[in-house]
């Protein structure tokens, strides 16, 4: 009980720190949102002097002392009111996030779970059949694929499968003419559009799970209880799965928890390459346009989900491993 | 965090770069060209990029409005920003009884797309709405207008001062219907999802990935509109533009011949007229940049042709010191300027000018009287890769004279802030391109913009200040006679040429791509009736001039 309480206390403290940092960071960045808006317009050609005044009047400049702004901000955060986006003025931040979040949760979340399950299984197999092709192929292949940067794999898939072969759509989460609803036709369309981005994330993240699982598994395989189980004549599969893998999976489970927390942040570069309307792309747009309200909301959501994932893993550890409770 | 952000951005730019690379190799890879079949009167245009999808916002006053909003709403007149000629739209013309009054004859027989008649009262209402809500005044019309009134079929504007060029600003205000907007609670945040307009197109379908406009059958010059339907997708990557058979696109594509033209050699054309002048803008409040000899030295040391070629792959010309966009503004050029104002590289003359400013070559270094090497810092924005390439050439050309050139490249927002507050030695910047010689020169030279360093300004970033020039600008502003205007403009060009408040390098191009497969009569070098850009009101000129291909 004391363990749980102390973890809850820690969670609240880090939450406060994250929220406060989140308030400070955008204000430390050079340039104002109006500067960013003008810089964007200026790429099309020189901006007339009067445009600036109108832009500043439209966006509004934060008023009051820094302390008042901070209190106002805390109050808004509690009420999930993040104000109006500068980039998508006059769209509210909450509505933008609400539109982007499902795409990322489904795409990145689903792929993360699949990658974890497949990667871990392959890792177990590789460690168990050490030295055979079942070991070398996933290990070398996984290392090779995960050494590629995300966006590079994305661009290769996009160019060759999307443009040259023309098998898959090259951008967006659904067809231009479609409107999002829950009809079978739309879901199939969305699924079709998600194949390339999903494959990209799968290819690049699979390797990590394989390697992580393989190395801890090899460690456990050397332990006395595994030798003892083998000596007792248990079926090899039982030894591999129920004795070795069960213990070896703990560290992988921790990173899985964290990975799930990070899902909310989306996959910025993959979403950018495929024009996928998720949180990652939204974050990119917010940063490039100095869109403080949008940035704050996104950072906050990402921080909270990572903190919560951390918290849950902490609590789980307390249950799984009695030693940590002391 | 800042580092991470930099990292993300750098990576993102790498992505864009690699995409461009892939686009280049696309020609040899033989990308499938899915050009559309026989023309059904629809025109596919890469004009509006979603981020990555569209938000529905057709408020003509909003800066984040959908680009095609300006294809639906009309202003009084549309000026071809290349040469300054105006075409009447909602006004049939204007007259200036004196330098303080502009009278617009309002077109009769025009209908809003909901059937209501358009009247001069709508014009009056629009301007009064903008006055009551300064956030809507993106053109700054009320910096010029004192009052306005409807007189019969005309609207009379009384100006604050003798202000002839004000008409070119009043021209551009998009007119909105009073019967709709009078009930809008907050015109700043209103998204105007069902636009009621007078223009050649009305909104047809809208999804987050694509929207379409259809021809307004009741348009007052409907006979001039050949396009039945405009299609605007949210995703217009360079690969899409090359592959999908676009009719019109605005994009800078590496190796345009090998990519865009190669995709359909018979039909795909490009035209990159100058849309502004890219300059080095010295901070005239700092030494040694306040010394005209020093600026002469810098100017003579540059090989502008090479800079232009390196920055924009040879698609634009080097710019002269006249401040004009040539050849389009040729009529305004001061004939006395040698070589049309273009300064050729002359290292001997450059060294002589630097010597006058107190800098001499010692060994391979340019040093001041105390023997310290001359070191200058040039400001540009991170991610403007073409500018950076141009600057690297500047760096090596000045380096050849022994000058140490450092480049600082903050994020675009920070760059804009530094520029506005005057926090730089030399800034790379662009000016001009409004179509009005007065506006271009005024924003560049008027001491009214030369606020103290540390206080933001919106023009004349180098803080040039000369009472004689201010007087010339005031004269130009009050002049109704074109011959006189040209004479004053010629004097201003001489100031630019001799005093070098900015050092012109090359023209910023307007990257227009068009295909005459479905529609012909696109603006081109020979027929420069409009700039090829897809934003603001000039597309109205294009959309009322296109013809169906036979």
């Amino acid at each position: 009980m004391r363990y749980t309480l102390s973890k809850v206390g820690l969670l609240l403290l880090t939450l406060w720190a994250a929220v406060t940092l989140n308030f400070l960071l955008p204000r430390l960045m050079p340039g104002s949102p109006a500067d960013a808006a003008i810089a964007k317009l200026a790429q099309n050609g020189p901006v007339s002097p009067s445009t600036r005044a109108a832009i500043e009047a439209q966006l509004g400049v934060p008023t009051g002392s820094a302390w008042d702004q901070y209190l106002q901000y805390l109050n808004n955060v509690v009420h999930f009111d993040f104000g109006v986006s500068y980039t998508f003025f006059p769209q509210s931040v909450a509505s933008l996030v609400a539109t982007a979040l499902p795409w990322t949760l489904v795409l990145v979340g689903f792929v993360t779970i699949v990658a974890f399950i497949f990667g871990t299984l392959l890792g177990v197999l590789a460690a168990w059949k050490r030295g055979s092709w079942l070991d070398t192929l996933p290990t070398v292949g996984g290392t090779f694929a995960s050494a590629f940067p995300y966006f590079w794999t994305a661009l290769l898939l996009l160019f060759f499968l999307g443009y040259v072969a023309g098998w898959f759509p090259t951008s967006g989460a659904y067809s231009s003419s479609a409107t999002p609803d829950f009809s079978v036709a739309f879901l199939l369309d969305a699924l079709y559009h998600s194949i390339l981005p999903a494959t990209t994330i799968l290819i690049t993240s699979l390797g990590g799970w394989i390697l992580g699982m393989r190395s801890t598994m090899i460690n456990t395989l050397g332990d006395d209880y595994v030798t003892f189980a083998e000596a007792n004549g248990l079926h090899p599969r039982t030894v591999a799965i129920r004795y070795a893998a069960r213990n070896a999976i703990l560290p992988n489970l921790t990173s899985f928890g964290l990975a799930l927390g990070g899902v909310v942040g989306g996959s910025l570069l993959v979403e950018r390459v495929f024009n996928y309307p998720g949180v990652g792309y939204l974050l990119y747009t917010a940063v490039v346009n100095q869109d403080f309200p949008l940035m704050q909301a996104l950072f906050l959501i990402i921080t909270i989900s990572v903190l919560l994932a951390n918290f849950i893993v902490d609590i789980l550890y307390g249950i799984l491993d009695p030693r940590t409770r002391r | 965090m800042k580092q991470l952000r930099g990292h993300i951005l750098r990576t993102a730019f790498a992505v864009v770069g690699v995409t461009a690379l892939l686009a280049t190799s696309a020609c040899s890879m033989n990308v499938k060209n899915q050009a559309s079949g026989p023309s059904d009167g629809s025109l596919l245009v890469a004009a509006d990029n979603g981020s990555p999808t569209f938000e529905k916002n057709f408020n003509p006053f909003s800066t984040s409005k959908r680009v095609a909003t300006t294809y639906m709403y009309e202003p009084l007149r549309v000026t071809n920003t290349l040469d300054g000629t105006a075409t009447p739209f909602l006004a049939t013309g204007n007259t200036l009884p004196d330098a303080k009054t502009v009278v617009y004859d309002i077109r009769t027989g025009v209908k809003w797309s909901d059937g209501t008649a358009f009247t001069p009262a709508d014009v009056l209402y629009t301007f009064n709405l903008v006055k009551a809500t300064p956030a809507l005044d993106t053109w700054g019309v009320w910096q010029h207008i004192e009052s306005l009134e409807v007189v019969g079929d005309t609207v009379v504007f009384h100006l604050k001062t003798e202000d002839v060029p004000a008409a070119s600003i009043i021209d551009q205000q998009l007119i909105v219907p009073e019967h709709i907007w009078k009930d809008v609670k907050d015109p700043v945040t209103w998204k105007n999802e069902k636009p009621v307009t007078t223009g050649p197109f009305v909104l047809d379908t809208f999804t987050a990935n694509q929207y379409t406009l259809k021809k307004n059958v009741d348009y007052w010059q409907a006979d001039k509109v050949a396009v039945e339907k405009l299609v605007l997708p949210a995703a217009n990557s360079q690969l899409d533009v090359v592959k999908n058979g676009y009719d019109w696109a605005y994009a800078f594509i590496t190796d345009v011949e090998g990519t865009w033209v190669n995709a359909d050699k018979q039909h795909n054309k490009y035209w990159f007229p100058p849309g502004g002048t890219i300059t080095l803008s010295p901070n005239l409040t700092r030494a040694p940049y306040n010394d005209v000899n020093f600026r002469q030295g810098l100017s003579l040391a540059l090989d502008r042709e090479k800079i232009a070629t390196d920055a924009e792959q040879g698609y634009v010309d080097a710019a002269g010191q006249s401040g004009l966009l040539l050849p389009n503004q040729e009529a305004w050029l001061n004939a006395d300027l040698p070589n049309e104002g273009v300064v050729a590289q002359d290292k001997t003359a450059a060294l002589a000018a630097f010597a006058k400013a107190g800098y001499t070559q010692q060994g391979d270094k340019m040093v001041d009287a105390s023997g310290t090497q001359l070191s200058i810092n040039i400001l540009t924005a991170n991610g403007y890769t073409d500018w950076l390439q141009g600057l690297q050439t500047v760096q090596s050309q000045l380096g050849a004279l022994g000058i140490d050139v450092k480049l600082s490249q903050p994020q675009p927002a920070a760059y804009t802030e530094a520029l506005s507050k005057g926090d730089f030695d030399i800034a790379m910047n662009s000016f001009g391109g409004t179509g009005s010689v007065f506006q271009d020169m005024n924003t560049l030279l008027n001491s009214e913009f030369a606020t103290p360093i540390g206080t933001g300004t919106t023009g004349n970033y180098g803080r040039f200040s000369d009472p004689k020039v201010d007087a010339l600008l005031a004269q130009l502003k009050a002049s109704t006679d074109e011959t006189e205007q040209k004479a004053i403009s010629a004097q201003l060009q001489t100031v630019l040429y001799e005093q070098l408040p900015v050092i012109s390098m090359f023209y910023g191009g307007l990257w227009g791509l068009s295909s005459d497969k479905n529609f012909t009569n696109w603006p081109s070098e020979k027929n420069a009736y409009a700039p090829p850009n897809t934003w603001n009101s000039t597309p109205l000129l294009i959309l009322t001039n296109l013809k169906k291909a036979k």
Side-chain angles (χ1 to χ4, degrees), chain B residues 37 97-98 118 121 215 228 290 378 402 428 431 442 533:
Chain B
D98 58 76
F118 159 81
K215 183 175 167 180
E228 296 292 330
N290 55 2
I378 305 183
M428 189 159 185
F431 78 92
N442 191 53
N533 54 276

Side-chain angles (χ1 to χ4, degrees), chain B residues 67 69-71 73-79 89 139 171-174 530-531 533-543:
Chain B
V67 166
T69 308
T70 56
Y71 306 175
Y73 285 93
E74 289 177 299
L76 295 171
R77 301 199 303 167
V78 177
T79 298
F89 272 80
W139 295 110
D171 278 351
Q172 303 181 63
Q173 182 63 55
L174 297 175
N533 54 276
T534 48
W535 63 89
N536 281 355
S537 291
T538 50
L540 287 176
L541 296 173
I542 300 179
L543 293 168

